[in-house]
Amino acid sequence: MMDPRLKELISAEQIQRRCDELAVEIDRDYAGKSLVLLAVLKGSYMFLADLSKRLSSPVMIDFVQVSSYGDEKSSSGIVQIRKDHDVSIEGRHVLVVEDIVDTGLTLAHLCELLRTRRPLSLKVVSMLSKPAARRHEALVDYLGFEIPNEFVVGYGLDHAESFRNLPFIALLKD
Ligand code: PRP
């Protein structure tokens, strides 16, 4: 039985199909190159798994954790690096993997920091984007879906650490 507060927005099948398409696009753009997939914890774990297993380009996988939200439903405006990557990104092609770009705060700050570390290239793939919520310039090179400015959970996205394991994306009603 599905939680009655949830309303499915993007199905598991739609997500998987979009992962197929994104992987084809990324493989084509990075043909003959190796890249570092830098996933932003925790929300991106599921997208990273689905995307990475579809790529035929050689990849290294690493993680960063950048916290700006805590358990609140709206951004605190504070960005903190909680866990830095282990692999050196200098001289490497880096693709940041995100589950969602909301205000853009996290991505703007993270990309600014990563650029100081001199990657050969720096791009972003995100499963979701809420363009209506954007307050900071944050460019997304590969995007799964645009969604309305509403609170969503599932496919890695949480509310107080719950719902991350849902294979679909849903609106969470109060
Ligand atoms: C979410 C998401 C992005 C960020 C987007 O992470 O994964 O990193 O918020 O919001 P913004 O564009 O307004 O900065 P969150 O801080 O909730 O951490 P989590 O992935 O561990 O749940």
Side-chain angles (χ1 to χ4, degrees):
M1 241 292 267
M2 186 153 112
D3 189 310
R5 292 171 297 167
L6 299 175
K7 187 174 180 287
E8 187 176 289
L9 185 67
I10 304 172
S11 72
E13 293 71 25
Q14 283 176 286
I15 292 170
Q16 296 304 311
R17 266 202 308 275
R18 199 67 190 107
C19 284
D20 290 340
E21 293 167 356
L22 289 170
V24 167
E25 220 183 307
I26 292 167
D27 267 337
R28 191 191 56 213
D29 292 356
Y30 290 92
K33 296 169 181 165
S34 57
L35 72 154
V36 179
L37 294 179
L38 201 57
V40 185
L41 292 168
K42 303 175 192 168
S44 65
Y45 81 96
M46 203 177 276
F47 181 38
L48 174 73
D50 280 339
L51 183 68
S52 61
K53 64 190 170 191
R54 287 168 165 85
L55 295 175
S56 43
S57 317
V59 298
M60 296 173 91
I61 291 178
D62 205 349
F63 299 90
V64 289
Q65 189 164 23
V66 188
S67 153
S68 65
Y69 272 38
D71 275 350
E72 298 306 313
K73 273 193 169 190
S74 63
S75 174
S76 62
I78 300 162
V79 168
Q80 211 190 337
I81 300 278
R82 283 184 169 179
K83 189 227 169 283
D84 217 329
H85 54 89
D86 301 317
V87 165
S88 168
I89 61 168
E90 188 172 345
R92 294 195 163 116
H93 296 288
V94 174
L95 182 59
V96 173
V97 181
E98 262 290 22
D99 50 337
I100 187 166
V101 184
D102 196 325
T103 65
L105 180 76
T106 304
L107 205 53
H109 282 251
L110 179 63
C111 287
E112 192 185 319
L113 172 72
L114 295 177
R115 271 193 210 96
T116 67
R117 298 175 175 174
R118 309 203 170 279
L120 200 51
S121 69
L122 181 65
K123 285 187 171 188
V124 175
V125 58
S126 183
M127 178 47 74
L128 301 175
S129 171
K130 285 183 184 174
R134 201 74 87 251
R135 289 195 280 116
H136 305 264
E137 194 180 333
L139 297 180
V140 178
D141 300 276
Y142 306 96
L143 179 64
F145 301 94
E146 285 194 352
I147 58 166
N149 193 8
E150 290 182 64
F151 196 80
V152 291
V153 295
Y155 199 67
L157 291 148
D158 75 310
H159 177 240
E161 303 301 334
S162 291
F163 304 114
R164 290 194 196 273
N165 62 318
L166 299 176
F168 54 88
I169 291 158
L171 299 170
L172 178 65
K173 292 170 282 179
D174 288 317

